[in-house]
Amino acid sequence: MALPKNSNSSSTKKKVSYISVPSQIINSLSSSSLQSLLVSPKKSSRCTNRFTYRNPRIWFLTLFLVSLFGMLKLGLNVDPISLPFSRHPCSTGSFDEHHAVSHLAFASENDTQSNSSSVYPKNETLPTEGDFWKQPDGLGFKPCLGFSRQYRKDSNSILKNRWKYLLVVVAGGLNQQRNQIVDAVIIARILGASLVVPVLQVNVIWGDESEFADIFDLEHFKNVLADDVHIVSSLPSTHVMTRPVEEKRTPLHASPQWIRAHYLKRINRERVLLLRGLDSRLSNELPSDLQKLRCKVAFQALRFSPRILELGNKLASRMLSEGQYLSLHLRMEKDVWVRTGCLPGLTPEYDEIVNSERQRHPELLTGRSNMTYNERKLAGLCPLTALEVTRLLKALEAPKDARIYWAGGEPLGGKEALEPLTKEFPHLYNKHDLALPGELEPFAKKASVMAAIDYIVCERSDVFIPSHGGNMGHALQGQRAYAGHKKYITPNKRHMLLYFMNASLPESEFNRIVKDLHRESLGQPVLRTGRGGKDVTKHPVSECMCSDRQQQQQEQ
């Protein structure tokens, strides 16, 4: 409360004191009495101390103050400290809980400790955002997809071309299909062809017969890319009887020059070209405009269908209803252990199940078949087990009461496989735990839809950690970066597993080492510089994201 200026006061500054008075008492006082309470009596420079003590006004004021505090102590039994905190101690307005919390920052340390009505328990410091929930510094990078003038000029002629069409069949799981759809759009642009909505091949493992429009918002897909590629739902009647030229020999990391040299004459001649198996076939090093188009497809055009979005957002909102949450992508399914050449580490019986399956189907092993299990483990090629995920979370100081959403299929070993995790972090949920009866039933046999729901809940989480690499982890890494570099922790498996196996290492030292190993793996911007083979949809800086200054330069 501001103090009235005293023109007769001495030039020497004097300490001003305040008293806290209940609003009930303040309302009962006259304005003159209130002034006498809040402002020290004016003291004439001509008066001496002796004169002051003999002044009857001072005695009456002293008697009044003693009587007042006697009433407070004995009569009214009002404790002013128990009143809601306010920056304005004399305010008689209603109490605003939100402002009470925010105003606590203005209180002194002693006030905070003594205020029994504080929203924070006694003897506790004001809560601050812990390191685990703290988001990385995005360094001001924002999405920027400004295409060049030449690209926009070429679009006019490409979009008018309605006589040659590209057909694409995409295979694999949901996120593998996403990658191939992105590349299909790029190849159509390179060839100047119209793109027929990609066909999703029936998944051999899960038997999912979902079509494009079952997973993605088809009209949104067409509208977002309307200025880049002409997209049709099916071949026009003039081309239905045309036998497409099928090409299966697209090499890994093909360049735009290779695509034109091998496919342009064929599609111009036959008018329809069919491509299969596009996974990792298109080079990661493309001209700037095509890299931007990649991001536009991945982050803007490929939106899930309305019914998937609705259910996914419902589950995410249920997780968010009690605050921040962490999402984990756990790769602990039987087929994952078989394909990676790794073991689940549960019991010898489960290890034997995996080894037997691998011997019956050696073709399922994905790469580096000459490596032993231990060699794969030490090279960081194996998924983390539930115990390893638990130790990682504890080392990174995840709160024990953290709410955790885990995505993925049924782990080999069922609930037993998750026991190390649930023991330390009991608030562990998946989509089946969050969904109401009947909500997931329409999608029970549609693995791609289930994966899409997991994707949505993981994308909306405050922190995301994959237990293994893979397409979903890579897709979310790019999506979260594009959304403002939301925290994404990449487990440094190759370096930290040696410490996992060191039983003599004290827990505190283990935690310190593991935390230090991950300081640069929290989702900070990673510049996709040089030709390191990094996918722009995983690392969108700096082709698809730029600082304010870079964006201004692009607009000029």
Side-chain angles (χ1 to χ4, degrees):
M1 182 175 295
L3 203 65
K5 186 176 180 180
N6 189 349
S7 60
N8 297 325
S9 62
S10 173
S11 60
T12 304
K13 293 184 178 179
K14 299 180 180 180
K15 185 176 180 181
V16 180
S17 301
Y18 294 84
I19 60 173
S20 181
V21 183
S23 60
Q24 295 94 326
I25 299 300
I26 293 176
N27 291 337
S28 65
L29 297 176
S30 65
S31 59
S32 59
S33 300
L34 181 61
Q35 183 71 9
S36 66
L37 277 174
L38 298 178
V39 184
S40 299
K42 294 183 179 180
K43 183 176 178 182
S44 173
S45 59
R46 298 179 181 178
C47 296
T48 63
N49 290 340
R50 185 177 179 182
F51 177 81
T52 302
Y53 291 140
R54 293 181 180 181
N55 193 327
R57 288 186 177 181
I58 302 303
W59 289 105
F60 282 111
L61 179 59
T62 303
L63 181 61
F64 174 80
L65 291 174
V66 171
S67 302
L68 174 63
F69 284 103
M71 291 171 58
L72 290 173
K73 184 71 177 176
L74 300 176
L76 296 177
N77 194 27
V78 176
D79 183 6
I81 295 180
S82 67
L83 294 175
F85 179 84
S86 170
R87 192 192 309 184
H88 308 288
C90 298
S91 173
T92 60
S94 60
F95 171 60
D96 185 330
E97 183 178 0
H98 170 74
H99 288 154
V101 176
S102 62
H103 289 161
L104 282 172
F106 295 93
S108 68
E109 183 179 354
N110 292 334
D111 291 338
T112 304
Q113 292 176 352
S114 64
N115 192 340
S116 61
S117 67
S118 168
V119 295
Y120 306 112
K122 192 174 182 180
N123 300 326
E124 283 192 15
T125 57
L126 297 180
T128 58
E129 187 180 36
D131 286 344
F132 184 78
W133 299 114
K134 186 178 181 181
Q135 296 298 312
D137 184 358
L139 301 178
F141 284 102
K142 300 176 182 177
C144 57
L145 299 180
F147 294 95
S148 68
R149 292 181 180 177
Q150 187 61 47
Y151 180 91
R152 296 194 297 269
K153 182 180 178 181
D154 293 341
S155 295
N156 294 328
S157 58
I158 289 175
L159 295 174
K160 291 177 182 178
N161 190 335
R162 305 294 173 91
W163 58 271
K164 56 182 179 181
Y165 292 83
L166 177 65
L167 288 170
V168 174
V169 178
V170 299
L174 170 68
N175 294 288
Q176 196 173 359
Q177 291 174 341
R178 284 171 60 100
N179 294 339
Q180 295 171 59
I181 293 169
V182 171
D183 285 355
V185 173
I186 305 303
I187 293 174
R189 173 78 191 196
I190 292 172
L191 296 175
S194 297
L195 175 67
V196 180
V197 172
V199 177
L200 309 188
Q201 183 174 307
V202 177
N203 194 293
V204 178
I205 298 177
W206 299 290
D208 190 345
E209 298 182 357
S210 298
E211 297 181 358
F212 188 98
D214 296 327
I215 308 296
F216 303 106
D217 189 331
L218 178 54
E219 292 307 312
H220 178 80
F221 181 71
K222 291 180 179 179
N223 292 335
V224 170
L225 299 174
D227 294 332
D228 307 282
V229 175
H230 178 230
I231 300 174
V232 295
S233 298
S234 59
L235 282 173
S237 58
T238 54
H239 290 64
V240 170
M241 301 304 294
T242 304
R243 184 176 181 178
V245 177
E246 184 173 353
E247 179 57 63
K248 300 179 181 179
R249 297 177 298 172
T250 307
L252 291 173
H253 311 303
S255 67
Q257 292 76 13
W258 191 97
I259 297 291
R260 292 190 188 97
H262 289 77
Y263 295 157
L264 191 56
K265 287 184 179 180
R266 292 186 184 183
I267 196 171
N268 286 343
R269 181 177 65 249
E270 304 296 339
R271 301 194 299 170
V272 180
L273 176 67
L274 172 61
L275 297 180
R276 295 179 184 270
L278 287 181
D279 194 27
S280 300
R281 298 297 167 178
L282 191 59
S283 172
N284 287 330
E285 302 301 332
L286 299 175
S288 177
D289 285 322
L290 293 182
Q291 295 287 49
K292 287 179 169 60
L293 181 56
R294 251 182 173 159
C295 292
K296 187 175 182 179
V297 180
F299 304 138
Q300 297 181 12
L302 280 176
R303 187 172 71 184
F304 292 118
S305 65
R307 65 172 187 165
I308 294 177
L309 272 180
E310 181 182 9
L311 181 54
N313 284 325
K314 279 183 180 179
L315 301 190
S317 296
R318 289 166 194 168
M319 287 298 297
L320 287 167
S321 63
E322 296 187 29
Q324 301 170 113
Y325 73 93
L326 156 73
S327 61
L328 300 172
H329 186 208
L330 301 180
R331 303 310 313 274
M332 300 168 61
E333 304 95 320
K334 177 182 173 181
D335 71 288
V336 173
W337 297 119
V338 172
R339 287 187 292 104
T340 57
C342 302
L343 297 174
L346 296 172
T347 63
E349 290 76 15
Y350 285 114
D351 289 349
E352 182 59 30
I353 291 174
V354 173
N355 285 326
S356 298
E357 186 74 14
R358 195 177 296 139
Q359 289 173 2
R360 286 195 299 269
H361 301 283
E363 72 279 2
L364 295 178
L365 187 61
T366 54
R368 305 195 189 188
S369 57
N370 60 329
M371 296 178 69
T372 65
Y373 160 61
N374 287 329
E375 289 172 338
R376 289 173 178 272
K377 186 79 172 176
L378 291 176
L381 299 175
C382 291
L384 295 176
T385 65
L387 177 59
E388 291 163 346
V389 171
T390 302
R391 294 195 69 190
L392 173 63
L393 291 178
K394 292 176 69 176
L396 295 176
E397 299 181 353
K400 189 175 179 65
D401 62 350
R403 289 167 58 80
I404 302 176
Y405 178 87
W406 70 273
E410 181 69 18
L412 178 63
K415 291 183 179 180
E416 178 186 346
L418 296 175
E419 278 184 4
L421 189 56
T422 55
K423 184 178 179 181
E424 294 292 335
F425 298 93
H427 304 293
L428 186 69
Y429 312 93
N430 68 358
K431 52 185 170 288
H432 299 285
D433 300 318
L434 297 174
L436 299 178
E439 281 186 322
L440 292 176
E441 189 175 345
F443 315 117
K445 296 183 179 180
K446 295 185 178 295
S448 293
V449 176
M450 292 295 198
I453 292 170
D454 276 341
Y455 188 99
I456 294 168
V457 183
C458 289
E459 199 282 323
R460 289 190 60 187
S461 66
D462 298 274
V463 181
F464 174 75
I465 304 177
S467 69
H468 193 48
N471 294 298
M472 179 170 172
H474 293 167
L476 277 167
Q477 182 172 358
Q479 187 82 53
R480 293 175 70 86
Y482 196 76
H485 289 95
K486 297 167 65 177
K487 194 166 191 176
Y488 179 107
I489 301 175
T490 305
N492 192 337
K493 292 185 290 184
R494 189 163 63 89
H495 289 96
M496 73 181 182
L497 284 175
L498 289 172
Y499 300 104
F500 275 85
M501 294 184 289
N502 187 351
S504 63
L505 189 67
E507 189 72 11
S508 59
E509 182 65 9
F510 170 84
N511 292 346
R512 184 193 65 77
I513 292 172
V514 171
K515 189 173 183 179
D516 190 59
L517 283 173
H518 291 85
R519 292 191 186 280
E520 302 300 322
S521 305
L522 305 177
Q524 300 96 326
V526 176
L527 295 178
R528 210 195 72 86
T529 56
R531 295 186 175 272
K534 294 178 181 178
D535 186 352
V536 72
T537 60
K538 182 180 177 183
H539 301 287
V541 177
S542 58
E543 283 98 338
C544 303
M545 300 185 73
C546 53
S547 63
D548 292 337
R549 179 181 298 178
Q550 291 173 320
Q551 193 160 8
Q552 290 174 0
Q553 291 174 349
Q554 284 189 8
E555 291 173 353
Q556 292 174 355

